[in-house]
Amino acid sequence: METQHSLADAPPLKVIAVEVADLDPDSPSVGFGEESAEAEAEVVEVGVGVGGPSVPATEGETDQEASDEEQWESESLYADALEGLGEGPLGEEDDACSPEEAVMYRRQLRALGADRFVAETITNHSITAKKLCTAFGIRNPAFLEGAPDEAYYPLLGLGLSRELSKRQKLSHYNTIDDAVDLLKKSKNIIVLTGAGISTSLGIPDFRSDGGLYSKLEHLGLSDPQEVFDIEIFREDPSIFYSIACDILPSTNDFSPTHAFIRLLQDKEKLLTNFTQNIDDIESKAGVQADKLVQCHGSFATATCIKCGYKVSGEEIYEDLKACKVAQCSRCLRGLLQTGDRGLKRKRSSNSVRSRKGKDDTFGDDEDDDDYTVPDAGVMKPDITFFGEALPETFHDRLVKHDRDLVDLVVVIGTSLKVAPVSEVIGFLPANIPQIYISRTPVSHVDFDVDMLGDCDVVVAELCRRAGWSLEHKMIPKDQSVQVRQEEGYESRFSFTVEAGMKFLVRFVQVHETFRRPEIQALAEVHGHHVEFDVYDETSPFSIITLQNCFEARRIVGRSVLSKAIYELWGSGTTYEELHNDVQRQASPPWRKYKNTSFRFDIDAYQGKRTAQEQRDLINSFRYLGFDGTIKLDHPEEKFRIFEDWDQRARQPKQLYLGRWVANGGRDAMSQYDLKKRDYISTTSMDSELALVTANLALARPGKLFYDPFVGTGSFAVACAHFGGFCLGSDIDGRTIRGSGGRNVLSNFKQYNLEHSWLDGFIADLTNSPTRERRWLDGILCDPPYGIREGLKVLGSRDAGKGKEAYYIDGQAAHLRSDYIPPKRPYSFTAMLDDILSYAANALVDDGRLCLWMPTANEDLTVLDIPQHRCLELTSICIQPFTKWSRRLLSYRRIPSSQMQEHERTVKHQRQADSGTANDLNIFRKKRDMASSATVPVTPRLAPLRIVNSNTDCGKDADIPQLELDNLGRPRSTEGTRRWDKPTAFSELPRPSSPPGSDSLPPSPLLPLTAAVMTPTPLRRSIPKDRFSALFSTLKTQTYHDPSSRGPGSHTIRTIAWNPTGHLIATGSADRTLRIWNPDKASVKNSTELRGHTGAIERVAWNPTKEAELASCSSDGTVRFWDVRSKACTGEVKAGGEGFTLAWKPDGTEVIVGRKDDALLPIHLPPLVPTITALPPILQTVQTNQTTFNHTGSHLLLTTGAGTVKILSYPSLTLQHTLHAHTSSCFALALAPTGRHLAIGGSDALVSLWDTTEWICRHALDRMTGPVRSVGFSFDGSYLAAGSDEGSGIEIAHADTGEYVHTLPTGGPAPHVAWHPHRYWIAYSGDPMGLKIVGAAGGSL
């Protein structure tokens, strides 16, 4: 039971001191983070303790506190919480102050001072600290949830300090009229702008819920702001370049807010526009350079970070758009001229610090540290990153010029959270009025007038009230804005556009199920909201609601299934109703067109009118009073009566009157007509549906789209038409290559779109060469249905039987020009699952998958619609044929922030590879059975299924039964943790035995589709109190290798058990790689694998194959072995000395660590005898041992900096860093349960981490030298470590950290390895060679 403490009993809290600089306008450092010897500081103490009055800290105490790391971390935690908390009124939260109470408490604080205010509120128990925090705009942080009230004192102290340091609002400015008057009379206005003024152009802001920072989870950064961190950029510029296309301005347009700033300039009122934006749109809007300060730089220029070469930003735009790191052209020319490219040279004194530490003993060549490979510098856009100084013009303009002249400050579209720009407000004289315009309020600054809403809407309304003409195509002429005062605030107002306009869309009467989803998708493309008021698939007329005509033109202007859109003036079922509806409008829209030229006609769908009837109907609208000239060709305005008739009806059933706004985008159909296209085939998608599919995929400029069944490129061409970049693949390379100069690329050249075609390659989704990362904005595909011929996938039904020729006439078969890759039968349902799984892993947040699939017209032929838990089905469009149909399914990639678990591929169980294509293709069988079906069908969703290695793979299972987090582990659904710790590798309760067998249950962290080795006997865990007694009964067996070439020459450098424990491999310094049979100690029963010419640094077994082994050596090679045939099955040149390697759990890849701190991924695809080495990835710190988590989704590596990095795989982006030791970390091991992580270092310590909360639970300190190896017993209960020094192996209990046994070794034992299924330990270091405890007998 917890003891309840009162405030009177609570210990005095530390004084929180806030330095308020004495602002000197002549001091260049005041307020902007630079040191100044002249700047004096006044310390304002805000005491929150209750043990008496606050006592100022002495200088000595301050120095002591500054060196107190624990206090610093505590204060930093609260400061970070305060910085990241939300803004705005908190009255709707439980236990929060109302707006009225907040105003009262803020006034009371200023009137009484901090000490007296605390005494009258907290000390007198009139309000809790938790609730009082909300009065100062502080939301309760998650890390204090459930904590006692005293825990909120430091946070409250920070809030009070922040409130007292604020500029006080000027009481005589409170209304919109006051703001308008200020604009009209002021002559020197400073306008400070942020990302909010560009969002209407499709450029994302940063901190809103849907802003850029909310979409960067896939990068694995601890803080999304690190994408703009200069140190991160220098270490890995690809992180910034991966998102550059999202913030790169792709338009020359500017928003109404930019036009407003230009208007202030034209009226000679603009003093300076300080902009935090990097899009340079202010310049495009006409703001003069001498009145513009780009505080954070812009994309207008770029500079090489190595040689300082500056170029125009346009020179690297293509690289930015393609998310490709741009290299310096001058550096490249220099390398070519000197011939240094690829050569080694001495590191210069100002190069990146050495990544090798003094504790590194893995390499023999210390001179390698003095060399590096020269390369070209990276071009960095001249935008200001975190950690870089702002342009000198920012400081000079503000301090030396503007501060003494400014008479009004207008802040627009910024949250003011980035220093030093955020400090401008407090630096300017407090008597200068300040107004704020943005969507959401800020609480850390008291502006005189707050105007909340869309920035474009607010400035347009201010100009209207000021009598200024602000003309812009995005401002409707008839826009009506509602202004409402916020409850509880005397000077805060919200601006909203009144109810939107009604429009009539004139569709084509084809593809009826496609029309509505296309309009909705186009609205999303342009960031608009559309509502369908009337929609009937049997009618070509639909009524929608939009905000203005500008939105209507943007949406329908590229709609392929829309003829035109009209501003709706009235509707009715009879002409009398229509006339009444038109005339009852309070503000008749036709008056503005009184003197314009016009055309008036009738559109009668399924009806017919004589010429006289048409004239009579048109004349009935004579009251509209049009006096302009009637022009049939090119009139200024067009008006139309619409009649909707039923077939053979005598009167129309519905009537409309509208004014033409824009035509649809059907002209593109003719432009891309297949009859005119250079290269087509029988499977080419017609231009109409290809363009519609591209619209549903949200194709737009600067986005990347992929067709995995590209064929002749119909979808790719359609996406390119709308500005997207495209690439595609196909199982048959002949389709992509074409013949006679006609191919996919020639189609793009035909339409002058070749710049949008990135490339095509041969692949299918089961053998995709693309990396597993989220990089695509859209996937469009029309996969084969297997009707004409059976479905195929790359691979061979007879793999391993010798029927496939890998070499022909001495040449690799796949390199021959006439090569056709082998294929095997493929299940149609498996193909659908593969498409969805690939899309879930490859699409960015809110990316689109548009998938065509067949259906039919009778229940027997219905194919379930596939589902994936990471994909939301947004629309189902059906194209009927005579006896069957097909569907276009559109999916949205659910953002990670909206899911409880991170995306993980969930595949259905694949049917057996054997069998015919007919057996595997459900659709083909059902279609043949129902060849005469004509009955329409209703789409049916397939149940979501998940496969567990311990369950019947063919049965459906509900998703909540097993959820996976972002590291691929099973997740408990019993709620969330109180503390926000880094995501962990946790475990589910282990069953006593797997269903249906008596074998050891696989770890819950194993891949769901991992191969399972031969079952081994199940062994029970030994309690720790009995471990020593039982382990002592084990007898040790020695395995002596007589091939030793001298004293110490046979030093064993690596030990590894195979997955079943039937074999153990050792690698030695004398190049000996030997496979031992633990049951037979004689060397005659061992196998020596020969081939390496240098010391064997590491051996590791394929976790899915008991006879496959990999080894790396100081000779610079990585070899793969089959111990059954004693043969080397593959060799890879590592490009350097490899000293560590790790297998991915599914056995498809190996990661090799080189001594130059590069990681070399090696791909070993199943069923294909090809070993592929991918480009090495250089790490920025000394990299030692590596290991995968149990699903292969993450790679863990130890570093010379005393840390363990957790990287996502295969992208190798940093997810988290564990600060494990004070010096180099050498070894690490993840427990089979996934619950613990052991890390050994050069400090002779082993830290034992709980991966549930990433807390270091125990530190094992009995080693006397650097820890070279660590390992867990098969059940994860016990831990052993090997060291260079000492004379024994200490075994500890993993849960408690207690030592349970000491194994005497007679000398150092640097390498230790537990048996995978027994309590046996193998170790090296003995002069006699390998020893295995337990192999010679015992009770375990």
Side-chain angles (χ1 to χ4, degrees):
M1 179 176 178
E2 295 184 1
T3 305
Q4 300 295 324
H5 298 280
S6 66
L7 281 174
D9 298 328
L13 296 177
K14 297 172 183 176
V15 173
I16 301 172
V18 180
E19 294 187 0
V20 182
D22 182 13
L23 300 179
D24 181 1
D26 296 325
S27 174
S29 61
V30 173
F32 303 106
E34 303 178 77
E35 297 180 358
S36 172
E38 290 87 3
E40 298 179 357
E42 173 189 357
V43 178
V44 180
E45 298 172 350
V46 184
V48 192
V50 294
S54 301
V55 180
T58 66
E59 181 178 353
E61 291 170 341
T62 302
D63 293 339
Q64 182 178 358
E65 290 176 357
S67 63
D68 188 336
E69 182 177 355
E70 180 180 357
Q71 177 184 344
W72 181 90
E73 292 180 351
S74 175
E75 293 179 355
S76 176
L77 177 64
Y78 283 101
D80 290 345
L82 184 68
E83 185 70 21
L85 296 178
E87 307 286 359
L90 308 175
E92 296 181 359
E93 294 189 2
D94 295 336
D95 196 24
C97 292
S98 66
E100 294 80 6
E101 290 175 323
V103 172
M104 178 192 71
Y105 282 121
R106 292 185 183 193
R107 290 176 175 172
Q108 187 177 359
L109 171 63
R110 291 191 178 274
L112 300 177
D115 291 343
R116 188 176 169 191
F117 174 79
V118 171
E120 294 191 5
T121 53
I122 302 300
T123 308
N124 291 340
H125 304 286
S126 62
I127 187 174
T128 64
K130 177 180 178 180
K131 182 175 181 179
L132 189 56
C133 283
T134 65
F136 300 98
I138 304 174
R139 299 181 187 275
N140 297 322
F143 71 84
L144 288 180
E145 189 65 31
D149 197 54
E150 292 89 334
Y152 288 85
Y153 290 177
L155 192 60
L156 177 61
L158 289 173
L160 298 183
S161 299
R162 186 179 71 173
E163 180 67 23
L164 289 172
S165 64
K166 286 182 182 178
R167 163 193 177 272
Q168 285 190 273
K169 177 188 177 306
L170 303 179
S171 59
H172 48 288
Y173 299 115
N174 297 294
T175 67
I176 301 298
D177 290 338
D178 291 337
V180 172
D181 290 340
L182 286 170
L183 287 172
K184 294 173 70 175
K185 72 180 183 181
S186 299
K187 299 297 183 182
N188 293 293
I189 302 175
I190 286 181
V191 179
L192 198 158
T193 54
I197 72 170
S198 298
T199 55
S200 60
L201 300 175
I203 300 174
D205 62 0
F206 294 88
R207 291 177 173 79
S208 68
D209 292 339
L212 178 70
Y213 288 158
S214 68
K215 301 177 180 180
L216 301 184
E217 180 178 340
H218 67 283
L219 295 179
L221 303 173
S222 58
D223 184 342
Q225 292 184 134
E226 290 180 355
V227 77
F228 295 109
D229 187 285
I230 188 60
E231 294 301 325
I232 298 293
F233 182 87
R234 288 169 178 157
E235 291 178 8
D236 186 2
S238 66
I239 295 177
F240 166 76
Y241 271 90
S242 69
I243 60 93
C245 59
D246 293 326
I247 59 175
L248 184 69
S250 58
T251 176
N252 289 322
D253 292 337
F254 52 87
S255 70
T257 307
H258 292 100
F260 169 73
I261 300 171
R262 166 67 184 272
L263 181 63
L264 293 178
Q265 173 185 278
D266 293 345
K267 292 183 174 292
E268 299 183 351
K269 292 176 173 291
L270 180 64
L271 179 61
T272 305
N273 176 198
F274 291 93
T275 178
Q276 301 173 82
N277 297 335
I278 56 179
D279 48 37
D280 198 35
I281 296 180
E282 293 83 3
S283 299
K284 298 174 183 176
V287 178
Q288 299 171 3
D290 62 339
K291 293 186 176 295
L292 178 64
V293 176
Q294 294 175 320
C295 306
H296 296 161
S298 76
F299 281 102
T301 57
T303 304
C304 173
I305 63 173
K306 186 174 184 180
C307 71
Y309 181 54
K310 186 182 289 290
V311 299
S312 169
E314 295 180 355
E315 292 191 22
I316 66 168
Y317 269 21
E318 292 303 318
D319 289 329
L320 290 167
K321 292 176 181 177
C323 298
K324 174 185 175 183
V325 177
Q327 291 186 300
C328 174
S329 59
R330 187 167 75 176
C331 288
L332 289 172
R333 289 194 300 269
L335 291 174
L336 291 174
Q337 292 172 359
T338 60
D340 284 343
R341 190 170 181 83
L343 300 178
K344 288 189 174 183
R345 60 171 58 170
K346 285 278 186 177
R347 282 194 179 122
S348 61
S349 59
N350 60 351
S351 63
V352 180
R353 65 180 178 84
S354 172
R355 292 182 297 275
K356 292 281 185 181
K358 64 181 181 179
D359 298 313
D360 177 34
T361 60
F362 284 98
D364 297 327
D365 187 2
E366 297 179 356
D367 292 337
D368 284 350
D369 288 347
D370 296 329
Y371 290 87
T372 186
V373 177
D375 54 5
V378 173
M379 298 303 296
K380 173 186 167 294
D382 289 334
I383 59 178
T384 305
F385 278 55
F386 292 112
E388 288 188 304
L390 267 63
E392 292 182 1
T393 53
F394 168 73
H395 173 269
D396 293 344
R397 179 81 179 191
L398 182 64
V399 174
K400 300 179 180 179
H401 182 266
D402 290 358
R403 191 178 192 274
D404 296 330
L405 298 177
V406 61
D407 55 9
L408 175 63
V409 179
V410 181
V411 179
I412 312 178
T414 173
S415 59
L416 292 175
K417 289 187 176 181
V418 179
V421 177
S422 60
E423 300 171 9
V424 169
I425 301 302
F427 174 74
L428 295 173
N431 64 320
I432 301 299
Q434 301 178 357
I435 61 178
Y436 182 72
I437 301 172
S438 192
R439 289 186 179 275
T440 55
V442 293
S443 62
H444 59 286
V445 178
D446 276 338
F447 288 99
D448 300 317
V449 182
D450 292 306
M451 291 170 282
L452 308 181
D454 186 289
C455 299
D456 296 339
V457 172
V458 175
V459 298
E461 179 63 14
L462 291 176
C463 289
R464 188 191 69 80
R465 295 191 180 206
W468 297 348
S469 177
L470 181 63
E471 295 184 358
H472 194 282
K473 63 182 181 180
M474 294 173 63
I475 303 176
K477 295 181 180 179
D478 53 356
Q479 175 174 283
S480 178
V481 178
Q482 181 182 13
V483 180
R484 178 177 57 86
Q485 185 173 0
E486 293 281 297
E487 184 178 355
Y489 297 92
E490 62 179 350
S491 59
R492 180 176 293 179
F493 303 86
S494 62
F495 289 63
T496 56
V497 178
E498 293 186 348
M501 300 172 61
K502 302 294 183 182
F503 294 91
L504 180 141
V505 181
R506 183 21 167 127
F507 288 114
V508 292
Q509 195 56 26
V510 295
H511 304 308
E512 293 84 356
T513 59
F514 293 73
R515 302 181 311 192
R516 180 170 179 164
E518 185 193 31
I519 294 295
Q520 292 171 329
L522 292 176
E524 185 169 350
V525 165
H526 295 294
H528 304 318
H529 176 70
V530 61
E531 293 183 3
F532 278 81
D533 302 312
V534 176
Y535 183 79
D536 183 354
E537 291 184 0
T538 65
S539 170
F541 306 120
S542 177
I543 308 301
I544 65 174
T545 299
L546 295 169
Q547 288 298 321
N548 49 57
C549 293
F550 174 76
E551 293 186 1
R553 281 189 290 270
R554 296 182 78 183
I555 293 174
V556 174
R558 61 175 273 186
S559 170
V560 181
L561 300 178
S562 301
K563 285 187 173 182
I565 187 169
Y566 297 80
E567 180 185 351
L568 184 64
W569 285 4
S571 63
T573 57
T574 66
Y575 272 95
E576 181 180 2
E577 289 184 7
L578 175 59
H579 286 301
N580 291 337
D581 191 43
V582 171
Q583 295 178 30
R584 71 165 58 101
Q585 297 191 43
S587 301
W590 57 84
R591 292 179 179 175
K592 64 183 74 173
Y593 309 111
K594 180 178 178 63
N595 297 313
T596 60
S597 61
F598 69 96
R599 173 177 176 169
F600 212 119
D601 55 19
I602 296 178
D603 179 357
Y605 173 67
Q606 297 188 140
K608 187 175 181 179
R609 294 285 191 183
T610 66
Q612 185 59 46
E613 287 176 328
Q614 293 186 44
R615 284 193 293 270
D616 292 341
L617 291 174
I618 292 173
N619 287 330
S620 68
F621 290 90
R622 190 179 294 107
Y623 57 84
L624 298 177
F626 295 143
D627 295 334
T629 304
I630 298 175
K631 295 179 64 176
L632 299 183
D633 295 327
H634 310 298
E636 295 177 78
E637 299 293 340
K638 290 181 283 187
F639 308 97
R640 179 163 290 183
I641 303 168
F642 299 93
E643 296 183 339
D644 193 359
W645 296 65
D646 284 331
Q647 291 185 353
R648 295 181 295 277
R650 295 188 176 184
Q651 294 294 331
K653 61 181 180 181
Q654 189 66 45
L655 304 167
Y656 306 97
L657 175 67
R659 180 186 70 87
W660 176 86
V661 176
N663 287 331
R666 292 186 63 77
D667 289 344
M669 289 172 48
S670 175
Q671 179 182 356
Y672 296 100
D673 191 346
L674 291 182
K675 297 178 182 179
K676 307 173 185 177
R677 190 170 298 177
D678 181 59
Y679 179 57
I680 63 172
S681 70
T682 56
T683 59
S684 297
M685 181 70 70
D686 71 86
S687 60
E688 182 178 36
L689 289 178
L691 290 164
V692 170
T693 306
N695 276 335
L696 292 178
L698 310 186
R700 57 196 185 276
K703 301 302 180 181
L704 183 59
F705 300 89
Y706 170 53
D707 183 354
F709 307 91
V710 69
T712 60
S714 293
F715 290 137
V717 169
C719 290
H721 168 70
F722 295 120
F725 293 100
C726 314
L727 71 160
S729 64
D730 206 288
I731 193 173
D732 191 343
R734 295 170 297 179
T735 303
I736 298 177
R737 292 190 294 265
S739 61
R742 298 198 305 170
N743 49 35
V744 176
L745 178 59
S746 68
N747 281 342
F748 281 82
K749 291 181 178 179
Q750 178 182 351
Y751 303 115
N752 295 320
L753 296 173
E754 58 268 28
H755 64 280
S756 297
W757 174 244
L758 301 182
D759 208 348
F761 51 94
I762 304 171
D764 62 49
L765 291 181
T766 65
N767 295 277
S768 176
T770 61
R771 289 198 171 188
E772 293 183 4
R773 56 170 296 182
R774 297 175 60 188
W775 59 294
L776 292 171
D777 297 287
I779 300 174
L780 307 84
C781 60
D782 182 18
Y785 309 150
I787 299 175
R788 296 182 179 87
E789 61 177 341
L791 287 173
K792 301 286 186 179
V793 68
L794 292 176
S796 175
R797 292 176 57 185
D798 301 314
K801 298 182 180 179
K803 295 184 178 182
E804 172 68 18
Y806 301 129
Y807 292 89
I808 301 175
D809 296 333
Q811 182 183 7
H814 68 280
L815 298 179
R816 295 172 60 92
S817 59
D818 58 349
Y819 176 72
I820 300 177
K823 304 176 181 67
R824 59 182 173 85
Y826 193 32
S827 162
F828 182 77
T829 54
M831 178 182 65
L832 295 178
D833 291 342
D834 281 333
I835 293 172
L836 266 65
S837 295
Y838 180 85
N841 284 335
L843 289 174
V844 301
D845 285 351
D846 294 316
R848 289 298 194 271
L849 165 65
C850 289
L851 165 67
W852 285 87
M853 66 168 286
T855 184
N857 294 331
E858 190 172 308
D859 289 342
L860 284 176
T861 63
V862 173
L863 284 180
D864 293 338
I865 294 176
Q867 293 190 86
H868 192 287
R869 60 182 174 181
C870 296
L871 300 173
E872 175 190 9
L873 186 64
T874 59
S875 66
I876 304 174
C877 306
I878 301 176
Q879 181 189 18
F881 296 104
T882 304
K883 296 181 179 180
W884 66 290
S885 304
R886 63 177 177 177
R887 305 186 187 108
L888 173 58
L889 308 177
S890 298
Y891 299 85
R892 177 182 75 98
R893 178 54 167 90
I894 302 173
S896 302
S897 59
Q898 298 177 13
M899 300 178 63
Q900 292 183 351
E901 73 281 339
H902 188 45
E903 74 279 8
R904 295 293 305 164
T905 304
V906 182
K907 297 185 177 180
H908 294 184
Q909 172 66 19
R910 302 291 182 257
Q911 300 186 26
D913 288 341
S914 61
T916 67
N918 281 342
D919 296 331
L920 294 174
N921 195 334
I922 298 175
F923 173 74
R924 195 176 190 188
K925 292 191 295 184
K926 292 184 177 180
R927 179 179 178 274
D928 293 340
M929 294 171 57
S931 59
S932 60
T934 57
V935 181
V937 299
T938 302
R940 186 175 62 189
L941 295 180
L944 286 166
R945 295 185 290 168
I946 188 167
V947 176
N948 189 310
S949 57
N950 288 335
T951 61
D952 184 353
C953 297
K955 295 182 180 180
D956 294 341
D958 295 332
I959 285 300
Q961 294 178 359
L962 183 61
E963 298 180 340
L964 299 179
D965 67 8
N966 63 337
L967 295 181
R969 65 165 198 235
R971 177 197 291 275
S972 171
T973 58
E974 297 178 356
T976 57
R977 298 186 179 275
R978 169 181 165 189
W979 293 93
D980 186 16
K981 299 290 184 183
T983 309
F985 308 123
S986 68
E987 62 172 326
L988 293 179
R990 295 172 59 88
S992 57
S993 62
S997 78
D998 59 352
S999 62
L1000 180 70
S1003 165
L1005 297 179
L1006 287 174
L1008 296 179
T1009 57
V1012 180
M1013 298 301 303
T1014 304
T1016 55
L1018 176 66
R1019 300 183 182 275
R1020 296 182 179 179
S1021 298
I1022 300 176
K1024 67 175 181 178
D1025 56 346
R1026 300 183 56 200
F1027 180 86
S1028 182
L1030 293 174
F1031 190 82
S1032 298
T1033 65
L1034 297 180
K1035 298 180 180 180
T1036 302
Q1037 179 69 59
T1038 300
Y1039 302 79
H1040 175 62
D1041 191 338
S1043 62
S1044 174
R1045 296 171 175 81
S1049 66
H1050 191 68
T1051 303
I1052 294 177
R1053 308 187 73 158
T1054 177
I1055 301 174
W1057 292 91
N1058 80 334
T1060 61
H1062 298 145
L1063 300 172
I1064 186 169
T1066 59
S1068 304
D1070 64 354
R1071 308 189 303 275
T1072 302
L1073 173 56
R1074 189 171 296 279
I1075 312 301
W1076 299 88
N1077 181 345
D1079 297 330
K1080 300 178 180 180
S1082 173
V1083 71
K1084 297 179 181 179
N1085 296 310
S1086 69
T1087 299
E1088 183 177 355
L1089 303 178
R1090 299 179 179 180
H1092 282 300
T1093 59
I1096 311 298
E1097 299 289 352
R1098 183 76 61 168
V1099 293
W1101 295 84
N1102 187 328
T1104 65
K1105 297 179 181 179
E1106 60 183 344
E1108 184 173 323
L1109 179 75
S1111 61
C1112 64
S1113 166
S1114 60
D1115 62 9
T1117 65
V1118 179
R1119 292 176 178 262
F1120 297 87
W1121 310 86
D1122 187 330
V1123 299
R1124 296 167 298 187
S1125 61
K1126 305 180 183 180
C1128 176
T1129 59
E1131 178 182 342
V1132 173
K1133 301 291 186 182
E1137 295 186 34
F1139 74 101
T1140 182
L1141 60 81
W1143 281 88
K1144 193 176 179 183
D1146 61 4
T1148 61
E1149 291 190 42
V1150 168
I1151 282 285
V1152 177
R1154 300 190 323 210
K1155 291 184 179 180
D1156 61 355
D1157 304 322
L1159 297 179
L1160 178 69
I1162 301 177
H1163 186 51
L1164 296 92
L1167 305 180
V1168 180
T1170 302
I1171 299 175
T1172 305
L1174 302 178
I1177 299 98
L1178 188 65
Q1179 301 300 298
T1180 57
V1181 295
Q1182 174 188 327
T1183 301
N1184 297 322
Q1185 189 172 336
T1186 60
T1187 188
F1188 283 92
N1189 73 322
H1190 295 322
T1191 63
S1193 63
H1194 287 72
L1195 182 70
L1196 294 82
L1197 54 89
T1198 58
T1199 75
T1203 63
V1204 171
K1205 290 188 175 183
I1206 302 176
L1207 312 176
S1208 62
Y1209 194 82
S1211 65
L1212 295 182
T1213 54
L1214 182 64
Q1215 298 291 321
H1216 187 61
T1217 299
L1218 297 179
H1219 296 276
H1221 292 254
T1222 57
S1223 58
S1224 295
C1225 293
F1226 288 156
L1228 83 165
L1230 182 64
T1233 61
R1235 183 177 177 182
H1236 297 106
L1237 178 69
I1239 304 169
S1242 62
D1243 53 5
L1245 296 175
V1246 175
S1247 57
L1248 190 58
W1249 294 72
D1250 184 337
T1251 63
T1252 303
E1253 296 182 334
W1254 287 121
I1255 295 175
C1256 181
R1257 293 294 188 186
H1258 310 289
L1260 311 181
D1261 58 359
R1262 285 192 182 179
M1263 278 63 67
T1264 58
V1267 179
R1268 294 300 180 186
S1269 62
V1270 289
F1272 287 93
S1273 60
F1274 70 91
D1275 56 357
S1277 298
Y1278 298 96
L1279 171 71
S1283 175
D1284 285 340
E1285 303 176 14
S1287 58
I1289 298 174
E1290 300 290 345
I1291 301 176
H1293 189 253
D1295 284 339
T1296 64
E1298 300 176 39
Y1299 286 102
V1300 296
H1301 187 77
T1302 299
L1303 173 65
T1305 59
H1311 302 288
V1312 176
W1314 288 87
H1315 190 284
H1317 307 296
R1318 295 172 175 266
Y1319 285 115
W1320 291 7
I1321 291 182
Y1323 66 91
S1324 68
D1326 190 283
M1328 295 298 294
L1330 173 71
K1331 290 195 173 186
I1332 301 179
V1333 179
S1339 60
L1340 297 179

